[in-house]
Amino acid sequence: MDIILVAVLGGVGALGFYMAWNIGANDVANSMATAVGARAITFKQAVIIAGVLTFLGAVLVGSHVTETIKGNIVNPNMIGDSHVLMLGFIASLLAASFFVTLATWKEMPISTTHSIIGALVGFGIIAGGDACINWGKLLEIGASWILSPIFGCILAFLVFKVIVKLIFSRKDPVESAKIVGPAIIGITICLIIISLFTNTNVGAILGITEMYLIGIISALAGILVTFLSAISLRKIQGRSFQDYDTVELLFRKLQIGTSCFVAFSHGANDVANAIGPVAAVLALSTGNDGFNALQAVPPYLLALGGLGIALGAVTWGHRVMRTVGGRITSLTNTRGFSVDFGAATTVLLASNLGLPISTSHTVVGAVIGVGLARGLAAIDLRVIKKIIYSWMLTVPLAAIFSAIIFIVLRMIL
Amino acid sequence: MNKTHDHFRVPLSDTYRRKSPFDLLVEHMGKIRECIDLLTGEMIQYYKGDYKGFSELARKVSAFEHEADIIKGNIRNHLPHSLLMPVDKGKFLWALREQDAILDHAENLVQMLDMRHTKIPKELQGLFIEHMMLVAQTVKTMEDAVENIKDLVESGFIKKEREETKGFIHKVHEAEYKADKKKYDMTKKIYQIEKKLMPMDEYHLLKIADWVDDIADHAENVADWLRSMIAR
């Protein structure tokens, strides 16, 4: 019995790792491509940033979304039989991995998040009927899929407008950029620290739980980082009166910061797609009686997911970054900065709320936001249609795959 | 579809154009400037009675017109309905169309002049040359206006850059106005000496004044479309 269990756990772990690898190879690389395309960072730097920061994001903030996937879509108490549940999670992970692989091969702009949610619903309906699906949560998640690109769009629009109003419109754009740019980076740091304190054990470990203290600490860190980045930009001088090129150069440096932010929040949100089902299977196999949805996800599982994503970014992601980065060279650094900020803030917020969203779609939303702010010469909105089709396609298809795999597994085992 | 497959899922890369339509507009403008520069020099030779190499010019202008046409087609064919641009796409295309009309008229002009070598009387030569220079000046200022659109896009349409573009557009109007006035001077002068002219010569001289002036008119039209394109 024990040997079988170990084998099953090993298999599920490997599957989760494969899914994580897939996310790192494609999705993380996809979001890092903005910075690569705007030439803020080289491919090598992008791979390193993606590897390290997605790992950190996954381990530090990844637990919320993982818990949603683990126990909030399919209500485990309604199914009861832990053997059936375990098969179900394995079937979901198999179906999602298969679907993601197929979609990547066929170049469909689907999201790993959508496929895992679809897969969970598919097995849930077969195993326990539609009563065992947490429709309320599912509706919330569905709404977040529509809202996250819109939110990313609005944020990127606002950041770009701020850049235009406070930098480009000023008499000396370069001098203004040296103040405004670092200030936005400071805000970024502030946001990350707040989310670390409010959503992880960091606060408990350090013994800081009061809201006002968290506020003060994050504000101080933000100001410190603002100063540090302002100092690092001090030496760059504008060459002429309307020197937009030097402004872009300044933002090239600042975009290194925002691309770290992107990688971090990406890890925080997407690690769940790979690790959520694994965590569920682990909880089912170790828990004595039934399933405790509230049981915390063990950090080593998040680390495993983070490692998988990092490995994906390192082994395969450079290909994606190079190709996509080469296609979007018309993106300049101020635009890339706005896109990064809008998308990453949205994704981090969703992670804190425990909502699994699609990072790639949020990035597209942010790009459209900059376009609406008259920041891009031309963007093709046909991509919106493609994304909507992929929403409508992914969830039912992943559900059907997972249902079939589940039925087959139940017959065999 | 002959698209190569990389086996990525990247919705992001579908949103971008390889080349900005504004870059292509400036590229198209470059062809026009090059062609008008060449034309100006050769026309002055023609006015002075030197027809040597004029057929060669006609061939070159046709080649320019063809190259510009390819760029124009490239811009037009890659502006689908779903494309989001920071300016009105319709107005952008009108600016392009007017820009292209400049070369159509230049081509027409050299073809016609090549078919019949009309001698420009001594007393008209000065006026004709001045007129040609003013028309070339109109196109030159128009190029400044078109190129400034790129700065406008780069800066996210700030007021400062918009005012600058408007300034260039104003200069185009000024240059076109001067060219127009010069054309009336030419016409007046032609009528003054009409007793000395063969009817067919007189007709052709009047036509030359019109044909050359058409170039400035279309340059002004481009400026007008740019103006309405960048309006808030």
Side-chain angles (χ1 to χ4, degrees):
Chain A
M1 174 60 201
D2 261 338
I3 297 223
I4 294 170
L5 196 65
V6 168
V8 166
L9 280 179
V12 173
L15 212 54
F17 194 77
Y18 168 71
M19 189 78 170
W21 179 86
N22 228 312
I23 292 166
N26 196 84
D27 301 60
V28 172
N30 187 7
S31 4
M32 297 301 287
T34 319
V36 175
R39 293 191 201 82
I41 47 177
T42 61
F43 306 113
K44 260 190 197 154
Q45 288 166 330
V47 167
I48 293 165
I49 289 175
V52 174
L53 281 136
T54 36
F55 180 79
L56 283 178
V59 174
L60 294 174
V61 198
S63 60
H64 273 65
V65 186
T66 311
E67 271 151 28
T68 303
I69 296 210
K70 185 181 121 197
N72 252 334
I73 311 280
V74 176
N75 186 349
N77 302 328
M78 295 286 289
I79 297 174
D81 185 351
S82 66
H83 178 67
V84 171
L85 266 175
M86 218 196 289
L87 287 184
F89 279 110
I90 294 169
S92 306
L93 194 55
L94 264 173
S97 310
F98 175 65
F99 187 71
V100 166
T101 308
L102 184 77
T104 310
W105 188 253
K106 286 276 154 206
E107 303 198 330
M108 291 188 288
I110 62 120
S111 140
T112 47
T113 309
H114 299 182
S115 25
I116 192 74
I117 301 283
L120 286 173
V121 172
F123 116 77
I125 287 177
I126 299 294
D130 63 351
C132 79
I133 306 290
N134 190 346
W135 292 107
K137 188 70 189 176
L138 207 59
L139 202 70
E140 207 180 294
I141 292 170
S144 77
W145 291 349
I146 297 168
L147 286 176
S148 55
I150 295 175
F151 200 65
C153 172
I154 293 171
L155 275 179
F157 179 93
L158 290 177
V159 171
F160 187 66
K161 279 287 179 201
V162 164
I163 289 174
V164 168
K165 283 266 175 286
L166 296 184
I167 297 175
F168 285 138
S169 300
R170 287 302 161 94
K171 241 191 189 134
D172 192 343
V174 175
E175 285 306 314
S176 311
K178 284 185 195 169
I179 300 162
V180 177
I184 303 177
I185 294 284
I187 293 170
T188 311
I189 293 294
C190 195
L191 288 174
I192 292 177
I193 290 180
I194 289 176
S195 90
L196 278 182
F197 271 110
T198 50
N199 288 287
T200 65
N201 300 331
V202 172
I205 292 164
L206 296 177
I208 300 164
T209 43
E210 290 92 341
M211 206 50 219
Y212 76 93
L213 268 178
I214 296 170
I216 290 171
I217 289 174
S218 52
L220 282 177
I223 291 168
L224 184 71
V225 170
T226 304
F227 270 115
L228 286 179
S229 41
I231 287 168
S232 74
L233 296 178
R234 198 190 51 218
K235 288 216 180 83
I236 296 173
Q237 289 294 331
R239 275 166 293 144
S240 62
F241 171 57
Q242 288 170 342
D243 194 357
Y244 305 125
D245 289 345
T246 306
V247 174
E248 295 295 344
L249 193 77
L250 283 164
F251 272 87
R252 179 172 292 188
K253 305 233 180 283
L254 295 170
Q255 213 192 341
I256 300 170
T258 49
S259 48
C260 292
F261 186 26
V262 169
F264 183 82
S265 33
H266 206 316
N269 202 289
D270 270 12
V271 72
N273 303 340
I275 287 312
V278 181
V281 171
L282 188 75
L284 286 164
S285 61
T286 52
N288 297 326
D289 31 41
F291 183 78
N292 185 3
L294 293 175
Q295 191 189 331
V297 179
Y300 64 85
L301 268 189
L302 293 173
L304 176 79
L307 205 65
I309 294 180
L311 199 71
V314 172
T315 53
W316 193 259
H318 59 94
R319 232 167 64 93
V320 180
M321 285 186 233
R322 190 170 310 225
T323 312
V324 180
R327 275 182 210 162
I328 59 176
T329 45
S330 57
L331 193 74
T332 59
N333 296 103
T334 46
R335 278 73 171 168
F337 181 91
S338 311
V339 170
D340 282 350
F341 184 86
T345 309
T346 309
V347 175
L348 192 66
L349 188 71
S351 312
N352 285 348
L353 295 172
L355 292 169
I357 61 166
S358 160
T359 323
S360 322
H361 296 176
T362 310
V363 170
V364 171
V367 169
I368 292 171
V370 176
L372 288 174
R374 301 180 104 182
L376 293 167
I379 44 174
D380 202 332
L381 296 180
R382 262 179 298 196
V383 71
I384 297 177
K385 218 196 245 167
K386 277 193 193 172
I387 285 178
I388 291 173
Y389 284 150
S390 88
W391 283 344
M392 295 193 294
L393 203 75
T394 308
V395 177
L397 271 183
I400 292 167
F401 280 179
S402 139
I404 293 170
I405 294 173
F406 175 64
I407 291 166
V408 171
L409 282 180
R410 199 166 53 174
M411 278 194 308
I412 302 171
L413 300 167
Chain B
M1 284 227 315
N2 54 359
K3 185 177 158 236
T4 55
H5 284 261
D6 300 310
H7 308 300
F8 304 153
R9 292 174 283 117
V10 277
L12 180 69
S13 70
D14 293 338
T15 52
Y16 287 94
R17 311 259 107 191
R18 257 170 222 281
K19 223 165 184 185
S20 132
F22 297 101
D23 285 348
L24 288 168
L25 188 74
V26 171
E27 200 182 317
H28 186 259
M29 181 66 235
K31 288 276 170 236
I32 291 164
R33 215 272 328 283
E34 236 181 290
C35 178
I36 298 296
D37 276 357
L38 182 73
L39 179 82
T40 310
E42 293 287 330
M43 281 295 285
I44 290 170
Q45 293 298 312
Y46 185 100
Y47 288 163
K48 287 178 178 164
D50 176 9
Y51 308 118
K52 200 164 50 187
F54 202 79
S55 302
E56 176 63 15
L57 173 74
R59 202 191 53 74
K60 277 185 190 157
V61 170
S62 283
F64 270 121
E65 202 270 342
H66 181 64
E67 283 167 31
D69 252 1
I70 291 171
I71 301 173
K72 183 185 76 171
N74 198 1
I75 301 176
R76 268 218 297 240
N77 299 341
H78 292 97
L79 287 184
H81 188 66
S82 57
L83 202 71
L84 175 69
M85 279 177 71
V87 298
D88 187 310
K89 234 181 302 168
K91 288 169 182 169
F92 176 85
L93 284 173
W94 267 107
L96 175 68
R97 175 185 278 192
E98 286 300 330
Q99 207 169 274
D100 201 59
I102 293 175
L103 283 195
D104 290 340
H105 282 276
E107 192 186 21
N108 179 60
L109 170 74
V110 289
Q111 293 294 345
M112 291 304 177
L113 292 193
D114 195 34
M115 276 179 220
R116 184 183 192 275
H117 291 167
T118 304
K119 194 168 161 33
I120 315 288
K122 268 271 171 316
E123 52 268 62
L124 285 175
Q125 266 180 20
L127 277 173
F128 267 63
I129 289 169
E130 279 164 37
H131 180 242
M132 188 64 231
M133 303 286 264
L134 283 171
V135 170
Q137 181 62 30
T138 314
V139 175
K140 212 175 159 58
T141 48
M142 181 199 117
E143 188 189 22
D144 292 337
V146 172
E147 276 178 352
N148 203 249
I149 297 283
K150 270 182 75 179
D151 274 358
L152 199 58
V153 175
E154 202 178 316
S155 66
F157 288 81
I158 58 169
K159 199 166 171 233
K160 197 166 63 189
E161 288 293 340
R162 196 184 355 247
E163 291 304 325
E164 212 173 290
T165 310
K166 276 195 216 165
F168 284 124
I169 291 169
H170 187 69
K171 278 189 193 149
V172 177
H173 282 284
E174 245 168 51
E176 198 272 347
Y177 175 68
K178 280 187 200 154
D180 261 359
K181 275 215 322 215
K182 193 61 77 185
K183 190 188 102 174
Y184 295 132
D185 290 348
M186 288 154 75
T187 315
K188 220 188 285 171
K189 192 85 184 172
I190 294 169
Y191 288 144
Q192 275 170 13
I193 60 166
E194 67 180 0
K195 295 267 165 21
K196 291 197 278 178
L197 295 168
M198 297 280 286
M200 197 52 213
D201 277 346
E202 184 183 349
Y203 167 76
H204 211 217
L205 287 173
L206 288 168
K207 274 314 234 186
I208 291 171
D210 276 344
W211 287 329
V212 175
D213 207 59
D214 277 343
I215 292 173
D217 282 344
H218 285 282
E220 190 188 27
N221 289 349
V222 174
D224 283 340
W225 280 112
L226 291 185
R227 176 70 189 83
S228 91
M229 192 169 94
I230 66 165
R232 266 181 196 276

